[in-house]
Amino acid sequence: MTRLLASPAHRLAARGLGLLVVNVGALAIHVPGADTVGSVARANVFVGVVAVGLGIYLLAVRLVLRERLPPAALWTILGFAVVMRAALLPAPPFLSGDIYRYVWDGQVQAAGINPYRYIPADPALERLRDAAVYPLINRKDYAPTIYPPAAQMVFAAVGQVSHGVTGMKLAMLGFEALGVLAMLAILRGAGR
């Protein structure tokens, strides 16, 4: 086993696998339908699991900074990142319900209505309510949207093609992919 992990590339892959296991374990702690992970005890376990994941991540960062890795190591890192995001895609949102407001604001704009004009519970928006998104919107009874115009443009664009959380998650993953590409370009420019 130690021989197998002697290579920096293999140690990196092992850390990636450890992160994947920890992230799937963290997802398993969540109680579907709960606002948070479900209870104080579960929250404490969740924080502990995430702390273990942070430790594994820091060990992986240390390895990348200190060892000479083959160019293929980048594909290992990106591959684990994609798999971890794929695990989150079908999972219901938890720890924050903000994504439901993003979807709602997109639906409101797709209907040609300014999301700053009405609170979601306003009778003028009753025809837009659905069973999947509307019940889960935060502050729907007293607050219009708080998101700035640039974010609203994104929500509106997504609202034209998707009326669900998965579509919004995919859009956010697209922005993350753009960020990764920009970071890779900066690293290449810096000779890293």
Side-chain angles (χ1 to χ4, degrees):
M1 182 69 157
T2 16
R3 209 163 160 203
L4 179 65
L5 294 177
S7 156
H10 288 131
R11 290 197 315 266
L12 181 66
R15 289 180 175 114
L17 188 59
L19 271 174
L20 178 61
V21 168
V22 165
N23 283 340
V24 170
L27 276 176
I29 293 168
H30 175 249
V31 175
D35 288 340
T36 62
V37 291
S39 69
V40 173
R42 280 182 179 265
N44 291 335
V45 171
F46 180 81
V47 169
V49 168
V50 170
V52 168
L54 176 63
I56 295 170
Y57 170 76
L58 292 174
L59 287 172
V61 168
R62 181 176 183 236
L63 178 71
V64 167
L65 293 174
R66 290 187 173 191
E67 298 282 346
R68 184 162 180 81
L69 293 165
L74 174 65
W75 294 109
T76 300
I77 293 167
L78 293 176
F80 276 110
V82 167
V83 170
M84 283 188 270
R85 269 99 183 142
L88 289 172
L89 199 56
F94 67 99
L95 302 180
S96 170
D98 290 353
I99 197 164
Y100 296 109
R101 182 60 85 121
Y102 306 164
V103 173
W104 174 259
D105 285 358
Q107 290 175 350
V108 168
Q109 292 179 80
I113 301 168
N114 181 340
Y116 297 107
R117 186 170 182 188
Y118 301 106
I119 62 172
D122 193 293
L125 302 179
E126 189 170 357
R127 66 185 168 88
L128 301 176
R129 295 181 190 147
D130 65 357
V133 173
Y134 179 76
L136 300 168
I137 298 170
N138 54 18
R139 300 176 296 279
K140 68 180 165 231
D141 297 328
Y142 63 89
T145 190
I146 61 167
Y147 299 105
Q152 291 298 334
M153 290 190 304
V154 171
F155 304 158
V158 174
Q160 294 296 322
V161 295
S162 172
H163 297 291
V165 170
T166 302
M168 189 63 71
K169 284 183 178 184
L170 286 170
M172 296 302 150
L173 283 174
F175 284 112
E176 185 178 19
L178 290 174
V180 167
L181 290 174
M183 185 173 48
L184 290 174
I186 290 168
L187 288 170
R188 178 173 289 166
R192 300 278 310 197

